């Protein structure tokens, strides 16, 4: 039996008892998992730093985010609105008699999750996909990312210990490793849905496998994103230094390896943008080269930078500090909006960005119209530029899952209102988010009971008040 068969088989065995444990026990289990990760914090962070070089400060922040979201999903379970419990009692309607109908969301089944390279804790084995799937009542098998295998194993051991402490079935969480194992996980007939964070190329290959199965399954992939940011003439002229510092900090955060890095900057051409270009070049020159997540990512980044250096359409606005070939050195290029093409609209994973210079509003909007789907889109505008902001909003809302007005997109809050996912290729299914409590919806499916006897109904659909929000005969009750 393969590792994938073993892990998925254990998850199938765990499915019924894990769902039957109920919302409160699963919530306690998530709290216990968070506690176990906290108890092993020092070793987990040290291991992750050795494998990724992300630094203790960043990794401690990631682990805090991870334990917070586990506990937040516990609160989601206890509050209960996520199951969308709905009761329509039998009665007469203008269309005739209506049967008794009761509807709620139930776990979809075993879920496969792929750990991400760039977030070894927040989007990997103990990350948001795993937390939301377990909260939904779905046993989860995680494919570890090869960039941090020991971190994955250490986090997995702590999480298993937390589930055991809560007396939940250990098969509710499994771990596999290896490229072929990942493909086998997506193909496995007992896997009912998959969550993925990674490249467009890798995600699309797995999505095609999921779609080609005899029984296709949903593939929730967070793929590539350029995260365009627009600076209006008023901001470019009046706040160049302040904006440049924030922008370069966002582009180079985590050595540019964030999925929300604002990799495209639309800025005024000519004299209107002189101060901004100078400030951007000055700020990027202050940033040192940094260690990237693995040699393959670094080599791909450096290859792309060399290609851009040789592109006659591009101008180099500035380089970061250092010339160690083992490190990723920041680079900022500029191009005329008229020269923008599909080749330049490919993601560069690393500390680099492209400034697209527009001569007027029409050229700006035309360039934005060439973009595919994005996780985020940001506008920095001045007072009085309301008409331009309105026109930008109309274009960008069609292309992005999260719209920012000021600020920078590299911070992703774990909250009910967060949307982390957008039109393809930023996500394979744009109706959902991979961050925040509403990400649990991916791992649930609706079931409706018609004229069901009381003993068959789940507690949440019985007439007795279960203490959760429900819609009864069309009226929301809280």
């Amino acid at each position: 039996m393969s590792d994938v068969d073993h892990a998925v088989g254990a998850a199938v065995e765990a499915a019924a008892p894990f769902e039957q444990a109920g919302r409160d026990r699963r919530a306690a289990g998530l709290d216990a998992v968070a506690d176990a990760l906290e108890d092993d914090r020092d070793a987990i962070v040290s291991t992750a730093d050795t494998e990724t070089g992300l630094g203790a400060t960043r990794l401690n922040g990631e682990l805090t985010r991870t334990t917070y979201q586990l506990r937040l999903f516990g609160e989601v379970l206890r509050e209960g609105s996520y199951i969308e419990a709905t009761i329509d009692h039998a009665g007469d309607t203008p269309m005739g008699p209506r049967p008794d109908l009761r509807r709620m969301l139930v776990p979809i089944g075993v879920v496969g999750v792929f750990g991400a390279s760039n977030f070894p804790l927040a989007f990997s084995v103990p990350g948001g996909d795993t937390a939301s799937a377990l909260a939904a009542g779905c046993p989860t098998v995680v494919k570890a990312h090869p960039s941090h295998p020991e971190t994955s194993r250490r986090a997995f051991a702590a999480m298993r210990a937390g589930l055991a402490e809560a007396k939940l079935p250990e098969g509710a969480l499994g771990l596999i490793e290896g490229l072929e194992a990942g493909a086998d996980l997506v193909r496995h007939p007992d896997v009912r849905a998959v969550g993925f964070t990674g490249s467009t190329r890798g995600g699309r290959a797995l999505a095609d496998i999921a779609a080609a199965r005899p029984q296709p399954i949903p593939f929730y992939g967070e793929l590539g994103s350029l995260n365009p940011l627009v600076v209006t003439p008023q901001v470019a002229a009046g706040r160049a230094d302040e904006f440049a510092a924030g922008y370069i900090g966002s582009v180079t955060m985590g050595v540019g390896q964030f999925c929300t890095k604002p990799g495209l900057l639309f800025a005024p051409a000519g004299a209107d943008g002189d101060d901004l270009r100078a400030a951007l070049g000055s700020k990027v020159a202050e940033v040192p080269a940094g260690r990237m997540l693995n040699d393959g990512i670094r080599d791909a980044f450096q290859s792309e930078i060399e290609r851009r250096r040789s592109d006659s359409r591009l101008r180099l606005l500035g380089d970061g500090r250092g010339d160690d070939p083992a490190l990723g050195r920041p680079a900022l290029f500029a191009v005329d909006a008229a020269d923008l093409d599909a080749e330049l609209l490919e993601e560069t994973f690393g500390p680099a960005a492209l400034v697209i210079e527009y001569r007027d509003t029409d050229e700006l909007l035309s360039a934005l119209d060439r973009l595919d789907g994005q996780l985020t889109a940001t506008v920095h505008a001045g007072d009085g530029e309301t008409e331009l902001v309105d026109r930008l909003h109309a274009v960008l809302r069609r292309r992005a899952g999260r719209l920012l007005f000021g600020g920078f997109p590299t911070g992703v809050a774990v909250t009910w209102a967060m949307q982390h996912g957008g039109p393809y290729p930023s996500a394979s299914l744009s109706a959902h988010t991979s961050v925040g409590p509403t990400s649990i919806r991916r791992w649930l499916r609706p079931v409706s009971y018609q004229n069901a006897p009381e003993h068959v109904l789940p507690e949440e659909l019985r007439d007795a008040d279960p203490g959760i929000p429900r819609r009864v005969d069309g009226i929301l009750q809280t």
Side-chain angles (χ1 to χ4, degrees):
M1 176 182 290
S2 72
D3 290 344
V4 174
D5 287 333
H6 177 78
V8 174
V12 170
E13 275 190 45
F18 193 54
E19 178 181 0
Q20 291 163 5
R23 292 180 293 108
D24 288 341
R25 279 190 60 200
R26 287 204 305 278
L30 294 175
D31 290 342
V33 168
D35 290 343
L37 289 167
E38 286 285 6
D39 290 344
D40 202 31
R41 173 182 285 269
D42 289 346
I44 290 173
V45 167
S46 176
T47 302
D49 189 27
T50 298
E51 291 190 308
T52 67
L54 290 174
T57 300
R58 152 77 185 271
L59 291 165
N60 270 300
E62 265 199 60
L63 187 53
T64 297
R65 174 194 177 97
T66 296
T67 56
Y68 168 77
Q69 67 186 359
L70 283 162
R71 294 189 175 103
L72 177 60
F73 275 111
E75 296 174 14
V76 169
L77 291 179
R78 294 181 181 102
E79 187 264 351
S81 65
Y82 78 96
I83 65 170
E84 300 177 13
T86 305
I87 298 175
D88 289 325
H89 289 105
D92 293 325
T93 74
M95 295 181 294
R98 179 181 69 195
D100 184 276
L101 288 165
R102 305 179 185 222
R103 181 185 186 271
M104 66 180 285
L105 302 179
V106 301
I108 196 170
V110 176
V111 166
V113 165
F114 284 72
S117 65
N118 54 342
F119 286 91
L121 302 175
F123 283 86
S124 197
V125 174
D129 282 351
T130 305
S132 58
L134 293 175
C138 296
T140 303
V141 178
V142 186
K143 190 266 182 188
H145 198 280
S147 291
H148 43 259
E150 291 299 329
T151 304
S152 297
R153 294 168 197 147
R154 183 117 203 169
F156 171 71
M159 297 175 74
R160 269 284 188 96
L163 291 174
E165 178 68 22
K167 295 181 171 52
L168 291 170
E170 69 172 21
L173 182 64
L175 182 69
I176 60 170
E177 300 181 48
L179 183 64
E180 189 56 39
D184 289 343
L185 180 64
V186 179
R187 293 187 187 99
H188 200 288
D190 289 325
V191 170
R192 293 290 179 257
V194 172
F196 172 88
T197 299
S199 68
T200 301
R201 178 181 175 185
R204 181 56 189 262
L206 293 173
D208 289 347
I209 292 174
R213 290 171 35 141
Q215 293 182 326
I217 58 173
F219 180 87
Y220 299 107
E222 181 208 312
L223 311 177
S225 186
L226 300 168
N227 305 299
L229 191 155
V230 177
V231 171
T232 64
Q234 193 175 123
V235 173
R239 293 193 279 118
D241 285 343
E242 173 193 348
F243 172 82
Y247 179 74
I248 296 301
S250 183
V251 166
T252 60
M253 183 181 294
V255 201
Q257 297 164 118
F258 278 32
C259 55
T260 49
K261 181 194 75 176
L264 293 183
L265 174 59
F266 291 81
D272 288 343
D274 283 346
D275 289 346
L276 179 57
R277 284 188 293 276
L280 289 167
S282 175
K283 294 300 180 184
V284 77
E286 299 173 2
V287 182
R291 174 181 166 186
M292 302 191 73
L293 292 164
N294 59 52
D295 291 348
I297 289 174
R298 180 205 61 212
D299 292 347
F301 171 73
Q302 292 178 343
S303 175
E304 176 60 18
I305 294 303
E306 288 306 311
R307 189 188 67 78
R308 294 202 166 196
R309 287 181 186 277
S310 64
D311 190 326
S312 61
R313 298 170 297 175
L314 305 185
R315 304 182 307 282
L316 182 67
L317 296 183
D319 272 328
R321 291 191 285 112
D323 54 8
D324 186 340
L327 303 179
R329 183 183 180 190
L332 187 66
F333 296 91
V335 67
D336 292 338
D339 291 329
L340 192 62
D341 62 13
E343 183 181 43
L344 295 175
L345 293 177
E346 294 180 2
E347 182 179 14
T348 301
F349 193 66
L354 181 63
V355 179
I356 301 165
E357 298 176 325
Y358 62 88
R359 290 170 296 180
D360 53 38
T361 299
D362 288 341
E363 188 170 60
L364 168 61
L365 296 176
S366 175
L368 291 171
D369 262 333
R370 298 174 216 171
L371 298 181
D372 290 328
Q374 308 292 326
L375 290 173
T376 74
T378 305
V379 175
H380 280 246
D383 297 336
E385 293 183 302
T386 54
E387 181 181 354
L388 175 56
V389 170
D390 287 345
R391 295 183 69 183
L392 289 169
H393 171 240
V395 172
L396 295 174
R397 194 180 74 163
R398 298 195 300 269
R399 288 169 172 77
R402 177 163 57 113
L403 302 178
L404 293 82
F405 297 87
F408 299 94
T410 31
V412 183
V414 183
T415 178
W416 281 93
M418 176 52 62
Q419 174 60 28
H420 193 61
Y424 185 85
S426 67
S428 56
L429 295 168
S430 63
H432 296 275
T433 177
S434 62
V435 174
T438 50
S439 65
I440 197 173
R441 185 63 178 81
R442 297 172 296 170
W443 321 121
L444 299 163
R445 66 179 183 87
V447 171
S448 185
Y449 293 82
Q450 182 167 327
N451 295 332
E454 177 88 354
H455 71 274
V456 169
L457 291 171
E459 177 188 2
E460 292 89 348
L461 294 182
R462 295 179 182 178
D463 286 329
D465 184 1
I468 65 171
R470 303 193 297 183
R471 187 174 295 278
V472 179
D473 295 327
I475 299 172
L476 184 63
Q477 300 182 348
T478 58

